[in-house]
């Protein structure tokens, strides 16, 4: 594989209000802590993010999930501005977009390929089916969700866009080093 800064990865992650629930508490030594909460999952959102060698590059979100139409629209508005032209022999960073085989990604594959390769000049590739271990964004999403849980109590006061932005930019102390690590862990080094 060429230098790992060439490929970038896009995928969705789902999040809901359960991320702000307390899992631990303080109390007298030796006594169980009982935390009573009503079943409240809150708003169910899906976050579509673009992840590159520099960390998270862009994101889009919506309530519910992404279908083929919403995904294609989000790629055009959110992901395409960050893609660079793929030049054989001298590809630029973020010139290869890699997606998993989610049905929403494949529904309009011809239109998606035209958008990414025709208009942006980047290269579009799909991972093998059932291979999240080859996708660095999956590891990054685990850190995103951990950040959401860790800061969930005060995040509820922010607008949804700001919550997501905070967690994507704060889930790693050093986003560049973390991205390098996730790429290496998935074999892109």
């Amino acid at each position: 594989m060429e230098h790992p800064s060439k490929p970038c990865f896009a995928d969705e992650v789902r999040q809901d209000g359960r991320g702000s629930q307390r899992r631990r508490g303080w109390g007298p030594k030796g006594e169980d802590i009982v935390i009573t909460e009503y079943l409240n999952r809150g708003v169910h959102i899906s976050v579509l993010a673009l992840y590159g060698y520099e960390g998270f590059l862009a994101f889009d979100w919506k309530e519910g999930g992404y279908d083929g139409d919403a995904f294609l629209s989000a790629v055009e508005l959110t992901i395409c501005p960050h893609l660079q032209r793929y030049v054989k022999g001298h590809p630029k960073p973020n010139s290869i977009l890699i997606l998993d085989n989610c049905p929403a990604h494949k529904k309009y594959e011809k239109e998606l390929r035209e958008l990414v390769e025709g208009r942006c000049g980047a290269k579009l590739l799909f991972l093998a089916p059932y291979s999240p271990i080859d996708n660095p964004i999956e590891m990054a999403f685990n850190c995103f969700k951990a950040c959401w849980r860790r800061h969930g109590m005060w995040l509820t006061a922010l607008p949804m866009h700001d919550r997501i932005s905070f967690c994507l930019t704060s889930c790693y102390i050093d986003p560049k080093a973390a991205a390098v690590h996730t790429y290496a862990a998935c074999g892109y080094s």
Side-chain angles (χ1 to χ4, degrees):
M1 167 134 241
E2 298 161 8
H3 189 272
S5 69
K6 308 313 182 227
C8 55
F9 298 82
D11 204 2
E12 302 87 18
V13 66
R14 294 175 177 227
Q15 189 64 26
D16 58 29
R18 291 179 289 186
S20 62
Q21 293 176 339
R22 292 193 59 113
R23 287 169 171 68
R24 297 185 175 96
W26 292 92
K29 188 174 183 176
E31 293 184 26
D32 290 336
I33 303 301
V34 178
I35 300 172
T36 305
E37 293 185 86
Y38 296 104
L39 180 61
N40 178 14
R41 294 188 176 179
V43 177
H44 173 83
I45 62 163
S46 290
V47 178
L48 170 67
L50 179 65
Y51 188 71
Y53 204 64
E54 301 84 32
F56 285 104
L57 304 173
F59 74 93
D60 182 54
W61 70 276
K62 65 178 289 195
E63 286 189 28
Y66 282 91
D67 59 5
D69 296 318
F71 177 74
L72 192 61
S73 175
V75 167
E76 182 176 13
L77 299 173
T78 306
I79 293 175
C80 282
H82 297 277
L83 297 178
Q84 295 194 45
R85 183 164 294 283
Y86 180 84
V87 180
K88 192 171 184 173
H90 301 290
K92 297 178 180 177
N94 304 325
S95 60
I96 303 169
L97 177 62
I98 301 177
L99 302 171
D100 60 15
N101 284 288
C102 171
H105 300 172
K106 292 285 203 164
K107 184 173 183 181
Y108 297 113
E109 183 178 351
K110 182 180 175 187
E111 292 84 350
L112 181 62
R113 196 165 294 282
E114 171 58 33
L115 180 64
V116 172
E117 294 179 352
R119 273 202 249 167
C120 299
K123 194 177 206 180
L124 177 64
L125 300 175
F126 288 94
L127 290 171
Y130 308 109
S131 58
I133 197 162
D134 296 333
N135 199 345
I137 198 170
E138 298 292 346
M139 293 170 64
F141 278 149
N142 287 338
C143 293
F144 164 77
K145 286 186 166 193
C147 183
W148 190 287
R149 281 190 304 272
R150 186 171 44 256
H151 301 290
M153 296 303 282
W154 68 267
L155 280 175
T156 57
L158 296 176
M160 188 61 71
H161 184 82
D162 294 342
R163 290 185 218 180
I164 298 166
S165 180
F166 172 81
C167 289
L168 289 176
T169 57
S170 304
C171 61
Y172 291 116
I173 293 171
D174 181 4
K176 172 88 172 150
V180 170
H181 172 73
T182 59
Y183 271 58
C186 293
Y188 301 98
S189 53

